[in-house]
Amino acid sequence: IGQKLSTVRQVVDRLEKYGAMEYTTVVAATASEMAPLQFIAPYTGVTIGEFFRDTGRHALCIYDDLSKQAVAYRQLSLLLRRPPGREAFPGDVFYLHSRLLERAAKLADRWYVVKKGTDVPGGDDAFKGADGKAHGGPLAHEDATHSAYELVDADLYEQLQNESDGKKKKKLEGKLADKLLASDYELKRDPHSGGSLTALPVIETQAGDVSAYIPTNVISITDGQIFLESDLFYSGVRPAINVGISVSRVGGNAQIKAMKDIAGTLRLELAQYRELAAFSQFASDLDAKTRAQLERGARLVEILKQGQFVPMEVARQVVIIFAATRGYVDDLPAEVLGRYEEELFSFLETKYPDLPSDFAAKGKPKDQDNELTRELMKALDEFAEIFVASESDDGEEEADEDEEYEDEEYDDEEYDDEGDEEYDEEDED
């Protein structure tokens, strides 16, 4: 929306290069298009996304960007002589974005109890199973299973419902499951159910001001935001994510337990580093604790740097963040941390191939006595010795090269002296 045509062309070219256009639809209302087209383009895109959602598939709709759509809507509203409000936007600009983003949803699965071999028509609300029901909602599969049990053997199912003893109940469920397998009935899911549509809106800020009208509107609608800061980008921190302003309302529900344990410490240390870094610009004398926090923060920022189009699996993320927050990189210069990261993963792949994935799945970073935690700490200690040794070897080689260079300079000086003596003898002659 409102982007240059050349920018859109670059994005499409990259998608085509990697074969992504086979499952991607681009709706473009470029900067040269009229305001009504820029206003309507996101609704066109989300309607296409809803088709995939309503046919049991999963779609992601990226709006780039909604700030320009709001500007186009403001232009239309002012031409229609609607009363302007804050920043000259019309009063219903919040509804403009909420009615768009609230169309993103995860649909529940719909299950039926049918005779074996029966085809379930996709998306037919009038269709009913052998029990006369269509089971929907978060417990749809469980409800359909119990309905099938009742069809197969009503008396045994009644015993199951009245039974309070856990072991006996489990045994009765096993009997009913066996009977269901041997019967003419089976469970089938509506192929057009269970789809989802995820919205990823992009908002442009003016001079990094997230408290402006449109950014605050969209922040209040979404489940969190990732704030990218241009100052960080130009200072070499990429991805240029401002950790302090970026939040997630989903939080730990979207993380594995190991990542949740180490991410809390990481966020706190990065926030302290940002605060101290701003303060240290005006302070000449810093105590040892403050200097240590600044050094640790600088290394955490360096560890979080990532190349473009270079995704990293979560097991590796957990390992490197664990190493950084536990002080394994505190004594290393910040500029060698990229090499440290690469060589660490190579070392783990060679000597401890299953450790990163096992630690991410079952490890307890906060528990020092945990077996996997101790094993990872042992591996990091081993690698620290190897990495430091390789660094010192490089240093010795550099020192040897310097000595050879100095010897060559010394030889040149001797040669120059001899040349001077010859010149003096010629003068005397």
Side-chain angles (χ1 to χ4, degrees), residues 125-169:
D125 294 334
F127 181 79
K128 303 296 179 191
D131 55 350
K133 298 175 184 175
H135 303 274
L139 300 175
H141 188 266
E142 187 180 336
D143 292 343
T145 304
H146 281 261
S147 187
Y149 288 165
E150 192 173 7
L151 275 177
V152 169
D153 192 329
D155 294 336
L156 197 59
Y157 178 71
E158 191 176 350
Q159 287 181 37
L160 175 68
Q161 293 295 93
N162 297 329
E163 186 59 63
S164 56
D165 184 78
K167 288 184 179 178
K168 289 181 180 178
K169 203 167 187 176

Side-chain angles (χ1 to χ4, degrees), residues 313-316 318-319 344-363 371-373 375-376 379:
E313 59 182 285
V314 71
R316 289 189 167 195
V318 170
V319 168
L344 172 62
F345 293 141
S346 299
F347 169 77
L348 291 175
E349 280 179 11
T350 306
K351 202 162 184 185
Y352 301 92
D354 298 326
L355 181 56
S357 54
D358 289 346
F359 183 74
K362 306 170 192 172
E371 185 181 345
L372 286 168
T373 305
E375 190 176 353
L376 179 58

Side-chain angles (χ1 to χ4, degrees), residues 168-422:
K168 289 181 180 178
K169 203 167 187 176
K170 202 168 185 180
K171 193 177 282 187
L172 287 170
E173 279 184 350
K175 284 182 181 179
L176 284 166
D178 292 339
K179 285 198 169 191
L180 178 59
L181 282 172
S183 71
D184 294 334
Y185 297 104
E186 64 178 345
L187 301 183
K188 275 199 175 178
R189 188 180 72 86
D190 181 348
H192 286 186
S193 68
S196 71
L197 175 61
T198 303
L200 183 61
V202 180
I203 296 293
E204 184 183 21
T205 58
Q206 300 295 325
D209 182 18
V210 289
S211 62
Y213 192 27
I214 301 302
T216 50
N217 278 353
V218 175
I219 284 170
S220 65
I221 298 167
T222 57
D223 294 321
Q225 72 272 355
I226 300 171
F227 181 64
L228 302 172
E229 198 168 13
S230 56
D231 291 344
L232 290 174
F233 181 86
Y234 293 124
S235 64
V237 179
R238 301 174 189 181
I241 296 173
N242 185 313
V243 180
I245 299 176
S246 303
V247 296
S248 172
R249 293 189 187 90
V250 178
N253 294 328
Q255 293 175 328
I256 59 172
K257 193 173 185 310
M259 179 61 84
K260 197 190 302 185
D261 287 346
I262 60 170
T265 312
L266 176 69
R267 183 183 176 85
L268 182 63
E269 289 188 1
L270 281 171
Q272 289 175 343
Y273 167 67
R274 301 274 184 221
E275 189 177 341
L276 287 171
F279 170 74
S280 65
Q281 292 177 349
F282 306 101
S284 56
D285 189 21
L286 298 173
D287 60 281
K289 185 180 177 183
T290 305
R291 277 200 303 272
Q293 279 186 314
L294 286 169
E295 293 290 331
R296 170 71 66 85
R299 280 150 184 77
L300 289 175
V301 169
E302 197 67 30
I303 282 294
L304 292 175
K305 288 182 182 178
Q306 193 172 349
Q308 194 178 19
F309 310 120
V310 186
M312 182 186 290
E313 59 182 285
V314 71
R316 289 189 167 195
Q317 293 177 35
V318 170
V319 168
I320 195 63
I321 294 172
F322 178 85
T325 52
R326 289 301 179 92
Y328 284 95
V329 298
D330 286 356
D331 297 330
L332 299 173
E335 55 270 13
V336 303
L337 292 184
R339 187 166 62 83
Y340 173 88
E341 196 173 334
E342 290 176 11
E343 291 184 14
L344 172 62
F345 293 141
S346 299
F347 169 77
L348 291 175
E349 280 179 11
T350 306
K351 202 162 184 185
Y352 301 92
D354 298 326
L355 181 56
S357 54
D358 289 346
F359 183 74
K362 306 170 192 172
K364 297 178 181 176
K366 291 182 179 178
D367 185 4
Q368 297 277 4
D369 297 326
N370 180 264
E371 185 181 345
L372 286 168
T373 305
R374 280 191 278 109
E375 190 176 353
L376 179 58
M377 290 170 74
K378 178 189 167 189
L380 289 169
D381 288 331
E382 279 182 35
F383 177 71
E385 293 176 9
I386 297 168
F387 189 76
V388 170
S390 65
E391 283 289 283
S392 63
D393 289 344
D394 293 342
E396 287 171 8
E397 287 174 10
E398 287 175 7
D400 292 339
E401 287 175 6
D402 290 340
E403 287 175 6
E404 288 174 10
Y405 181 73
E406 286 173 5
D407 290 342
E408 288 173 6
E409 285 187 339
Y410 181 74
D411 292 338
D412 290 339
E413 287 175 5
E414 287 183 344
Y415 178 79
D416 290 342
D417 290 342
E418 290 171 5
D420 290 341
E421 288 172 5
E422 289 175 3

Side-chain angles (χ1 to χ4, degrees), residues 86-144:
R86 181 178 166 186
E87 296 180 22
F89 286 105
D92 63 341
V93 72
F94 179 84
Y95 178 58
L96 170 80
H97 289 151
S98 66
R99 69 182 175 181
L100 174 70
L101 298 174
E102 295 294 348
R103 288 165 76 171
K106 169 72 174 78
L107 301 183
D109 287 320
R110 193 184 295 117
W111 287 88
Y112 298 98
V113 182
V114 294
K115 291 271 189 181
K116 285 182 178 175
T118 304
D119 291 328
V120 174
D124 186 359
D125 294 334
F127 181 79
K128 303 296 179 191
D131 55 350
K133 298 175 184 175
H135 303 274
L139 300 175
H141 188 266
E142 187 180 336
D143 292 343

